[in-house]
Amino acid sequence: MVAAILRQVVGREDDARTSNVLASAFRTQIVRALGEGRWRFADHFCDKLLAEDPRNLEAWLWKGHLAWRYFQDTSAALNCFRRVLILGGFESSNEYVARARSSLGQLLEQLS
């Protein structure tokens, strides 16, 4: 709903700028929700952020940790961590890829 309103107010020619504003707003909501321990709310805004920017590694990493640590959904967590690795090109110098690789290792060790 917020995205639709912003698009109407700003106009179609500014889609890139609107997307950046939305991504920033969604990220702010995610960080706030995480700080308040509102895990479902954070996950909801991760989904919103990923709808705007499906290649956002940070959002995929957050979703992975939420699924693993708070929703006990190891399958979803594995998929999210793998998505970070793939989208990040398996580049170890990328902070999110390195963190996803570490988390994936810990999760797989826990499952074995």
Side-chain angles (χ1 to χ4, degrees), residues 6-17:
L6 274 175
R7 285 192 181 98
Q8 286 179 345
V9 171
V10 175
R12 291 286 176 198
E13 64 277 355
D14 292 328
D15 276 348
R17 187 167 13 128

Side-chain angles (χ1 to χ4, degrees), residues 63-108:
K63 279 192 70 68
H65 280 285
L66 287 167
W68 178 21
R69 302 290 188 183
Y70 300 104
F71 306 145
Q72 286 70 50
D73 187 349
T74 55
S75 177
L78 289 169
N79 288 334
C80 290
F81 294 144
R82 288 180 182 142
R83 178 88 44 121
V84 173
L85 295 176
I86 292 166
L87 292 174
F90 298 92
E91 185 60 46
S92 294
S93 63
N94 181 306
E95 169 191 356
Y96 300 117
V97 171
R99 288 169 47 193
R101 182 173 284 131
S102 173
S103 297
L104 185 59
Q106 291 173 25
L107 178 55
L108 290 172

